Amino acid sequence: MALWARQGSRWCCLLQAARAAGFPRRPRSCSSPAQACRGFAPLALLPSRNDVLPWRLQAYRHVSVGSCAPPDSAKDGSFSSPESNLPSPVKQEQAKAETLPDLNAKILYEDWDDIPPSSALEEISEEEAIQIIAEPLLPLQSSTLRDYVDHSETLAKLVHLGVDLSQVEKRQKAGQLLLTLDFEKDIRKILLFLKDVGVEDNQLGPFLTKNPYILAEDLEALETRVAYLKSKKFGKAEIAQMVSRAPYLLLFSVERLDNRLGFFKNELGLSVKKTKDLVIRLPRLLTGKLEPVKENLQVCQIELGFQHNEIQQIVFKTPKILTTSKKRLRQTFDYLHNIMGIPHHMLTRFPQVFNSKLLRIKERHMFLTFLGRAQYDPAQPSYISLDQLVSLPDEVFCTEIAKASIQDFEKFLKTL
Amino acid sequence: PRGGGAQGRHCRPTPTLVSVTVRGPRFRRLKIGAGHRLDVKASGVFVLGIGHGNKLLTDLYNCHLTKVYTVGGLFGKATDDFSDTGKLVEKTTFDHITREKLERILAVIQGTNHKALLMHSNIDMKTQEAYELAVKGLIRPMGKSPPIITAIRCLQLALPEFQLEIHCLHETQQYLRKIVHEIGLELKSSAVCTQVRRIRDGVFTVDDALLRTQWNLQSIQNAIWDCQLKVKRELEKTLG
């Protein structure tokens, strides 16, 4: 990262200026800053390990951390093992701002070769002891982001944006990613891009909570994908809606998006306009797995016995049927068709019954049967339509449809 | 967390909000314990204890209070697991069954169970105290015992369906289904159990029970509050 190289070069200049003799640069084994600093032991004048000398004045500790960085950035340029450097960029951010002027002075005025550093066992006076600031060290490894939130500006700004870090840290490598990014350089660009696409301000937090990986994406790739969607004649507001509701959408490459749109067009046999409409209403279809969708379609056709055109109608009205679990679909259909006696064409007219909870349908149907009002055939008098059966809230259902009080309904439910 | 002001955000999130988004929710788990078991095919009153209430559950168990069930049955069929969803084993006629015959069988069952009740209660029946307890109906086994039916009566009989109300102790729902099957056999026919519903578990009745739609914090708190007094009184009476 450019950031580190810049810091590295700064440290390099300082140390070279202070030294009388050059020192060998060993290739650093990338396991921990402590170990790497041990690699500089022959230079002996630097305290060799962070954890042994916590009581050292801050300056020394930051020097040791800083000196570990230069060979890394000088040697390989790319940050091959950002994991082990986790605390160092964080500490460097602090150190950079606060201790740089001190260090400058110290190094120029002290002669490293002559005066050995005082050992840890030396006795010091009371005043000096009081002046020592021993901050607890940032843990090198942690399973939560809580430990780093106070020290990292990036994390603090994300929290202010509304990102729920406790959810993010549960994802694989997402916490790692957030710590290595810098708000000003990387995250800001992506946030501005998302705002351009049309994601609302107050939606940015939840969006990033669900999909923190977008912060690692290349801006140009993201723009290409949005351009592809526009070329497929999705309007700006529609793209904004799709992206907000399916945060993973922009992580898919153009070919993948193309494949998926093609898949839905072929499988469902709908026209281009209808397929687009479907995808806008349920963008999750594009980001989810395709196997379950195929299986659901098979179930509808073979087990439930719907005709192809009926399936098309149902899917267009309630696309969620493609993503529900098969067991639930079968159970609901079984009850509706075999026990309530509703024929296929009625179910095609009111596919929203497949989305509602089976328990609700059962309770209400049994209550209506008990009252003798279970009539679902439109040709008969006092017909009750299926969408009213499932979508009305309890009170309205009781008073309007069942013509009974809600206490009666509850008493009846307690007898089931 | 510092450094929030630079961007000019409209308002700072409060410290509690920030700590939730960083640390996660404060309460993640609840200790919930269950009272007497209710199997999958049965329904009715099911007592749960939350947190410290689990200790009360143990105490209630040690009170050995009776439970009341409504058991629905169907004459004419017999299945392998005594319920109407099992594999059919035989079919019989049931026209000869009358209410009288049924009640006679129920009286026999109640009699044998009463003897078992007295035996397992470990009370010397020849004492005056035993007589007084028996009059009040307070005799029951205060330790482990096989399932005992303290009272059984027929609520309705509309061939081939019938409904019974059973008061029992230390039972399982499968035992009740077996009783239905045996009643069928005694009546020289066969029966399967269509419904087992617990309407009372010790001090808790169906009126205290919460429906699926009432499983929210407020209703649960109210329910706990309402039953507190009853439970306390019962525990004091029985366990002293």
Side-chain angles (χ1 to χ4, degrees):
Chain A
M1 228 150 90
L3 171 67
W4 292 2
R6 198 182 65 221
Q7 284 179 339
S9 56
R10 193 181 290 153
W11 286 120
C12 281
C13 302
L14 287 172
L15 291 171
Q16 273 172 351
R19 278 198 208 300
F23 48 86
R25 291 197 175 214
R26 287 204 205 153
R28 186 158 92 73
S29 70
C30 304
S31 49
S32 74
Q35 204 176 337
C37 295
R38 248 178 269 133
F40 285 93
L43 322 170
L45 310 170
L46 295 172
S48 49
R49 287 166 39 145
N50 292 358
D51 39 359
V52 167
L53 308 166
W55 56 269
R56 277 277 162 193
L57 298 176
Q58 280 182 331
Y60 282 165
R61 198 174 66 199
H62 291 299
V63 168
S64 66
V65 170
S67 63
C68 299
D72 208 34
S73 43
K75 284 258 177 237
D76 30 345
S78 62
F79 48 109
S80 52
S81 60
E83 299 88 39
S84 49
N85 289 331
L86 254 179
S88 38
V90 168
K91 279 192 225 173
Q92 278 176 332
E93 281 178 23
Q94 254 181 340
K96 178 163 69 106
E98 292 163 355
T99 59
L100 200 43
D102 298 342
L103 218 45
N104 249 325
K106 273 205 171 31
I107 288 176
L108 292 177
Y109 293 136
E110 280 182 4
D111 197 354
W112 291 87
D113 288 322
D114 291 349
I115 308 171
S118 28
S119 96
L121 301 172
E122 216 182 64
E123 286 187 20
I124 48 173
S125 69
E126 286 292 316
E127 293 96 32
E128 270 185 61
I130 295 171
Q131 280 167 14
I132 294 174
I133 311 164
E135 262 184 22
L137 293 170
L138 283 180
L140 296 174
Q141 271 184 329
S142 167
S143 60
T144 75
L145 287 173
R146 202 190 309 174
D147 305 321
Y148 302 109
V149 154
D150 292 331
H151 300 275
S152 163
E153 275 203 35
T154 315
L155 290 179
K157 285 196 180 150
L158 285 176
V159 169
H160 280 259
L161 209 57
V163 177
D164 189 345
L165 291 180
S166 63
Q167 304 281 338
V168 168
E169 70 196 9
K170 290 180 189 156
R171 318 286 295 277
Q172 272 192 13
K173 299 181 189 149
Q176 199 85 302
L177 181 68
L178 285 188
L179 279 171
T180 52
L181 293 175
D182 178 62
F183 195 84
E184 291 301 318
K185 303 231 81 189
D186 315 299
I187 302 185
R188 190 182 273 274
K189 295 188 291 192
I190 310 238
L191 288 179
L192 289 172
F193 165 77
L194 285 175
K195 283 186 70 159
D196 257 343
V197 165
V199 180
E200 305 274 326
D201 284 352
N202 57 358
Q203 291 294 315
L204 283 173
F207 186 95
L208 289 176
T209 311
K210 282 193 220 145
N211 183 14
Y213 307 107
I214 202 170
L215 298 171
E217 286 285 311
D218 187 20
L219 196 58
E220 287 166 18
L222 292 175
E223 285 178 0
T224 329
R225 291 161 198 169
V226 174
Y228 165 76
L229 287 175
K230 286 204 177 118
S231 76
K232 287 275 168 182
K233 312 269 184 0
F234 285 101
K236 191 165 185 315
E238 292 159 351
I239 298 183
Q241 198 192 9
M242 279 165 66
V243 167
S244 306
R245 288 169 62 183
Y248 279 98
L249 190 66
L250 291 177
L251 287 187
F252 283 61
S253 70
V254 174
E255 297 95 56
R256 240 179 139 188
L257 284 175
D258 201 30
N259 279 345
R260 280 169 183 242
L261 284 171
F263 168 82
F264 281 105
K265 190 159 155 320
N266 295 337
E267 282 290 322
L268 299 175
L270 296 170
S271 71
V272 172
K273 187 168 177 309
K274 282 198 168 178
T275 319
K276 273 180 19 190
D277 199 38
L278 196 75
V279 162
I280 293 169
R281 275 158 52 203
L282 193 68
R284 254 188 8 223
L285 285 174
L286 286 180
T287 55
K289 296 193 185 152
L290 296 180
E291 274 305 315
V293 172
K294 262 196 229 165
E295 287 170 5
N296 275 18
L297 284 172
Q298 295 288 358
V299 163
C300 283
Q301 199 173 9
I302 299 176
E303 287 183 44
L304 308 188
F306 282 107
Q307 302 290 331
H308 194 66
N309 59 334
E310 288 175 335
I311 297 183
Q312 282 183 343
Q313 275 190 12
I314 292 177
V315 166
F316 190 67
K317 274 204 183 148
T318 52
K320 256 191 175 173
I321 210 175
L322 291 173
T323 48
T324 59
S325 83
K326 289 173 267 300
K327 187 170 136 189
R328 190 183 125 162
L329 195 58
R330 275 183 216 126
Q331 277 176 340
T332 317
F333 178 80
D334 179 47
Y335 193 79
L336 286 169
H337 189 61
N338 298 331
I339 300 182
M340 285 168 76
I342 298 177
H344 281 97
H345 62 91
M346 288 298 295
L347 289 173
T348 319
R349 271 174 67 187
F350 298 111
Q352 50 272 62
V353 292
F354 287 113
N355 274 345
S356 66
K357 284 206 284 210
L358 183 59
L359 187 65
R360 199 172 207 206
I361 301 176
K362 270 190 192 167
E363 287 174 351
R364 289 184 175 188
H365 172 71
M366 284 202 251
F367 190 49
L368 290 174
T369 328
F370 178 70
L371 293 174
R373 302 181 71 91
Q375 182 57 262
Y376 305 112
D377 188 2
Q380 308 282 343
S382 73
Y383 148 73
I384 296 175
S385 83
L386 287 175
D387 65 329
Q388 280 185 323
L389 180 75
V390 299
S391 56
L392 292 178
D394 276 338
E395 298 86 27
V396 184
F397 171 76
C398 287
T399 43
E400 302 278 318
I401 311 284
K403 310 263 194 298
S405 73
I406 195 159
Q407 285 82 9
D408 291 340
F409 187 42
E410 286 180 4
K411 274 198 211 139
F412 174 75
L413 288 180
K414 286 190 177 174
T415 65
L416 287 181
Chain B
R2 57 187 174 86
Q7 263 188 320
R9 292 251 124 222
H10 39 277
C11 64
R12 271 187 95 103
T14 58
T16 44
L17 179 65
V18 167
S19 87
V20 165
T21 54
V22 174
R23 289 168 198 263
R26 181 122 182 232
F27 298 104
R28 288 171 212 257
R29 278 192 206 98
L30 274 180
K31 274 209 185 107
I32 298 189
H36 295 109
R37 273 195 213 114
L38 200 62
D39 67 11
V40 180
K41 287 186 268 200
S43 61
V45 178
F46 187 40
V47 181
L48 296 167
I50 302 182
H52 294 300
N54 289 315
K55 294 185 208 135
L56 290 174
L57 275 181
T58 334
D59 293 335
L60 278 175
Y61 179 77
N62 291 333
C63 284
H64 300 282
L65 300 165
T66 57
K67 298 186 256 315
V68 182
Y69 287 83
T70 316
V71 176
L74 197 68
F75 284 120
K77 283 202 311 189
T79 56
D80 55 351
D81 66 350
F82 314 134
S83 78
D84 56 348
T85 51
K87 207 165 71 128
L88 195 60
V89 167
E90 70 170 322
K91 277 185 137 171
T92 56
T93 58
F94 48 82
D95 315 315
H96 56 275
I97 299 177
T98 64
R99 195 163 179 133
E100 261 181 22
K101 290 189 189 159
L102 183 61
E103 299 210 341
R104 212 179 304 153
I105 303 288
L106 296 182
V108 167
I109 294 179
Q110 194 159 337
T112 42
N113 273 279
H114 190 66
K115 283 209 193 87
L117 176 73
L118 295 176
M119 192 178 74
H120 287 281
S121 316
N122 290 331
I123 292 186
D124 186 6
M125 284 318 295
K126 303 213 177 63
T127 62
Q128 178 64 15
E129 289 166 6
Y131 171 72
E132 278 169 13
L133 282 176
V135 160
K136 286 194 220 150
L138 288 176
I139 297 188
R140 54 182 193 271
M142 292 308 278
K144 273 192 180 279
S145 83
I148 295 181
I149 296 181
T150 54
I152 181 168
R153 67 187 178 109
C154 174
L155 290 175
Q156 49 173 321
L157 175 64
L159 288 173
E161 290 174 4
F162 64 98
Q163 220 181 35
L164 305 171
E165 187 186 281
I166 305 183
H167 298 236
C168 44
L169 278 172
H170 306 153
E171 80 302 340
T172 61
Q173 284 83 43
Q174 194 59 14
Y175 179 76
L176 297 173
R177 293 190 189 102
K178 191 157 156 254
I179 294 282
V180 168
H181 173 84
E182 283 171 10
I183 290 175
L185 291 179
E186 290 285 324
L187 288 168
K188 299 187 178 55
S189 175
S190 56
V192 289
C193 175
T194 49
Q195 189 199 39
V196 175
R197 229 177 100 239
R198 186 149 69 197
I199 53 180
R200 198 189 157 107
D201 183 348
V203 286
F204 301 99
T205 62
V206 166
D207 298 323
D208 308 321
L210 295 172
L211 282 173
R212 187 70 168 272
T213 44
Q214 293 165 327
W215 290 358
N216 51 50
L217 184 63
Q218 201 53 44
S219 317
I220 294 177
Q221 274 184 326
N222 291 344
I224 295 178
W225 187 252
D226 292 334
C227 292
Q228 237 178 20
L229 197 58
K230 276 200 288 194
V231 169
K232 209 166 104 169
R233 227 183 297 143
E234 186 61 44
L235 285 178
E236 275 170 18
K237 201 168 80 169
T238 312
L239 299 177

